[in-house]
Amino acid sequence: MVEATPLWEVFIRPRNGLSHRHVGSLHAADEVMALQAARDVYTRRGEGTSIWVVPSLAITASDPDHADEMFEPTADKIYRHPTFYEIPEEVGHM
Amino acid sequence: MYSQGLIGADGRTEEDAAFLAAFQARIDAEEKIEPKDAMPEGYRRTLVRQIGQHAHSEIVGMLPEGNWITRAPSLRRKAALLAKVQDEGGHGLYLYSAAETLGVSREQMTEELLSGKAKYSSIFNYPTLSWADIGIIGWLVDGAAIMNQIPLCRCSFGPYARAMIRVCKEESFHQRQGYEIVMTLMRGTEAQKAMAQDALDRWWWPALMMFGPHDSESAHSEQSMAWKIKRFSNDALRQKFIDATVPQAEFLGLKVPDPDMVWDAGLNDGQGGYRHGPIDWDEFWRVVKGGGVMNRDRIRARRKAWEDGAWVREAARAHALKRAARKVAAE
């Protein structure tokens, strides 16, 4: 088996004013080569003005098997949403 | 080309009925499946096979066209062809990444391509003999690929669908540049017109084979359709491709090399379509199994690229280690 080259996650900011967004991943020996490869692989048509590369190993992810417990509490707290509160028509937009 | 991705796929799966039913319910609700989600082993294995073979097709697909970069007839054509071949390389990389989310390593996929265990599209085992081939490949081969890939943008597996959206966006230029090359030849001398017709004669049938075997022979299609990895049958996509392409050939003044082709008003639920003659499936299977003109050449070229690049990968890793050590020492 050949030694594996590290995996990187690539994030691109399409233009100023927008946040960096995950676009995919790639293999590279170090961060310098990862950035160069990210430019070649993910920005051939002006997709971005800024690139982040992050070692995939550095990402801690939530477990999809525990998604129910993890995200369930948000669904029953409808009082967090503006439409939960009744404001008379006459008051106008609020 | 990517209906061929299912060749050798093994959709057998051994989970209990309740698990499979719950998974199928998610699929039927058009929910996307993401890499860390629970999924049947057969679903995972089918996708690893299909996405891997799709990636290999993109990478091997660079070879027939790369053959003509230095001989492109003008700077405009050369720049376009370079950009197209670079795109194919990029598409291969997006797809390898998508397959890797399922737990297969890049090294393992590369080994399977080089050892011949994994397949790639049969179309790339034909030689590119003239400049007209480059035009015909863009028009027909990329055209057929787009026809296959557009439904894959809605594939149930998220990373594959997302990769396909990028690929489809980039590929429309590939088909247009090909058609433009053929059109230019057809406006040229008699010799240029003959060259274009000769290329069409050689590529037409292999292009139809890209959609994979007839539905009745396509062993893995049914399960893949149920899991929404695949949205249309091989024959349905092939028919769509023929109906779109025949008028484009007529516009150019080219003749599709199928003496049996007729307009049949009853096809496509009464909307009409072109009924094609018999496809030589013996040739198809011979090429898939390694007996095409270029099979050995293609793998030899990939193996050489892998071996010649070994010292570069090694040097890059050594350099990365040295830089990391230096950084630690400086802190």
Side-chain angles (χ1 to χ4, degrees), chain A residues 1-5 7 23 25-27 29-33 40-45 47 64-65, chain B residues 36-37 86-87 90-91 93-94 97 100 105-108 111 166 170 173 306 316-317 319-320 323:
Chain A
M1 198 69 198
V2 214
E3 195 187 329
T5 306
L7 188 65
V23 293
S25 49
L26 51 81
H27 291 272
D30 62 23
E31 72 281 7
V32 179
M33 296 187 78
D40 291 348
V41 178
Y42 291 104
T43 65
R44 288 192 303 282
R45 287 174 175 78
E47 287 89 339
D65 289 342
Chain B
K36 303 277 188 252
D37 292 354
Q86 194 190 6
D87 275 351
H91 298 172
L93 295 180
Y94 308 154
S97 297
E100 286 175 77
S105 75
R106 178 77 59 91
E107 288 74 15
Q108 193 181 332
E111 275 179 2
R166 290 184 67 88
E170 298 183 354
F173 118 69
W306 178 249
R317 270 197 302 270
H319 182 65
R323 282 186 60 237

Side-chain angles (χ1 to χ4, degrees), chain B residues 31-280:
Chain B
E31 265 183 55
K32 292 284 182 214
I33 307 301
E34 294 295 340
K36 303 277 188 252
D37 292 354
M39 62 181 85
E41 186 50 27
Y43 178 83
R44 196 191 72 85
R45 223 174 21 231
T46 299
L47 278 167
V48 165
R49 183 81 177 177
Q50 175 164 345
I51 303 173
Q53 296 193 157
H54 194 161
H56 297 327
S57 299
E58 299 284 355
I59 298 298
V60 176
M62 293 195 282
L63 299 170
E65 291 176 291
N67 183 33
W68 280 90
I69 290 175
T70 57
R71 291 176 284 168
S74 68
L75 187 56
R76 183 175 188 271
R77 296 286 185 223
K78 182 184 281 199
L81 186 56
L82 256 176
K84 178 177 190 296
V85 171
Q86 194 190 6
D87 275 351
E88 311 293 3
H91 298 172
L93 295 180
Y94 308 154
L95 287 161
Y96 282 131
S97 297
E100 286 175 77
T101 64
L102 290 163
V104 62
S105 75
R106 178 77 59 91
E107 288 74 15
Q108 193 181 332
M109 285 187 279
T110 305
E111 275 179 2
E112 287 186 0
L113 171 66
L114 299 185
S115 72
K117 190 175 170 226
K119 305 287 180 217
Y120 53 87
S121 179
S122 59
I123 194 79
F124 302 119
N125 291 317
Y126 292 86
T128 38
L129 303 178
S130 76
W131 172 250
D133 288 26
I134 299 306
I136 296 284
I137 286 178
W139 170 34
L140 295 187
V141 175
D142 288 85
I146 292 168
M147 209 58 107
N148 252 318
Q149 289 172 158
I150 284 174
L152 286 173
C153 295
R154 294 191 297 125
C155 167
S156 60
F157 185 58
Y160 195 20
R162 290 193 286 274
M164 278 300 105
I165 291 170
R166 290 184 67 88
V167 168
C168 286
K169 252 193 229 164
E170 298 183 354
E171 232 159 44
S172 109
F173 118 69
H174 297 182
Q175 191 183 16
R176 291 170 66 106
Q177 67 91 37
Y179 196 74
E180 196 193 85
I181 289 173
V182 183
M183 202 160 60
T184 306
L185 290 171
M186 291 307 288
R187 287 174 182 162
T189 64
E190 285 309 312
Q192 285 171 316
K193 289 180 193 172
M195 185 164 78
Q197 182 65 54
D198 167 66
L200 178 62
D201 291 348
R202 283 181 290 110
W203 290 95
W204 174 253
W205 293 105
L208 296 190
M209 293 175 195
M210 286 172 66
F211 294 91
H214 273 315
D215 295 348
S216 55
E217 307 283 318
S218 185
H220 309 288
S221 282
E222 212 172 307
Q223 180 63 80
S224 288
M225 298 269 269
W227 278 333
K228 297 194 178 170
I229 293 172
K230 208 177 142 127
R231 296 268 178 173
F232 295 98
S233 78
N234 296 355
D235 287 334
L237 287 171
R238 186 166 18 243
Q239 187 61 46
K240 217 171 152 196
F241 172 74
I242 292 172
D243 292 338
T245 310
V246 171
Q248 293 167 355
E250 277 169 5
F251 178 86
L252 292 169
L254 285 168
K255 194 163 164 26
V256 168
D258 180 352
D260 298 325
M261 180 158 292
V262 285
W263 175 259
D264 181 339
L267 282 184
N268 299 321
D269 298 326
Q271 291 186 14
Y274 294 91
R275 185 177 291 285
H276 64 82
I279 295 174
D280 183 354

Side-chain angles (χ1 to χ4, degrees), chain B residues 309-320:
Chain B
W311 72 269
V312 180
R313 292 189 295 276
E314 205 178 310
R317 270 197 302 270
H319 182 65

